[in-house]
Every structure is written in C-alpha cells, then in structure tokens.
Amino acid sequence: MPVAADHRTVPGTGELLLREQLLDHFSNSRAAYVGNAVNAAITMLVCSTVAPLPMLAAFGLVLCLLLLWRHMVGVKFRNLADNSHLPAIAGQVDAYAAGLSVYWAVTISMLFALADPGRQMVLGILAGGMMSGGVASYRTRERAALIY
C-alpha cells in the first residue's frame, strides 16, 4: 500500500506550508497590535492609582518595542524575494511570542501584587484575554503558540 506524501517528503512543500503559515500570522497583525494596545491601556488605567508612574511608563515602552519588533519582522517577510529566509523569520515569530508572553506575565504579576481584590479580578480577566488572543494570533505557528 503506497504511503501518502506529506510536507516533509515532497520537495518544496515545507517551504510553501511555512510561507502560508507566516502569511496567515502576519495577516492578523493589525488586530494583534490593537488587542495588545487596548489591553495595555486598560491595565494602566486600572492600576494608575496603585502603581508608580515610572513602572507603568516602562511597561508601555516595552510593549511598544515588542510590537515594533513584530512589525519589522512582518515587513521583512513581505519583502522576501524567495523562501530562503523563511526559517529565520519563523524563528523571529517564536522569539517575539516568547517576548510578549514574558511581558504580559511579568506585567500582570507585578501589578497583581500591588492591586486590591477588585483590580486583581480585572487583571485576571485581562490575562485570560491575552492568553486567548495569543491562541488566535499564533494559531498557524505551533511552536510560537506553545511558547506563548
């Protein structure tokens, strides 16, 4: 009985699959930027009276840098002339998935320690929302999803 070929045995299909995964991933960049920015704004507003302003400003700056990194990787992907750099771009997606997951874990954890129970509930809801958003954002990149 013949064995069906998969993307690991048919030449070029692994690159095609990776390109499609990355294309899908970067197609939702605008939603990812908005989701992160809105959740960061809510987080900062909720904790503005319990957290020091420099801490909140640092959280905002770090998020801006992480989203800029995502944007730059997306631009690099869209400007590719061939598939030779796809694995490197996929590695960058994995890396900024790790960066965003650490960012949200540290941000929520630090603010949780400063917050009263009502704010803690809001922070918990935001954390759950960010986890759900990560599932949608990294749905085609298994490694990035697992890292996040």
Side-chain angles (χ1 to χ4, degrees), residues 82-124:
D82 60 31
N83 293 338
S84 62
H85 297 288
L86 289 178
I89 289 177
Q92 290 286 305
V93 171
D94 297 345
Y96 69 65
L100 280 168
S101 68
V102 169
Y103 167 82
W104 281 109
V106 168
T107 300
I108 297 294
S109 297
M110 289 179 75
L111 293 173
F112 201 85
L114 300 173
D116 57 74
R119 286 184 174 91
Q120 288 176 344
M121 183 183 70
V122 173
L123 291 171

Side-chain angles (χ1 to χ4, degrees), residues 28-50:
N28 71 20
S29 289
R30 190 170 293 146
Y33 301 145
V34 170
N36 276 282
V38 166
N39 281 324
I42 293 170
T43 300
M44 290 179 193
L45 281 172
V46 165
C47 294
S48 63
T49 59
V50 296

Side-chain angles (χ1 to χ4, degrees), residues 18-26 77 86 89 93 141:
L18 182 56
R19 178 174 277 286
E20 289 301 315
Q21 288 173 339
L22 292 170
L23 184 64
D24 181 77
H25 172 71
F26 289 115
F77 170 72
L86 289 178
I89 289 177
V93 171
R141 294 287 314 136

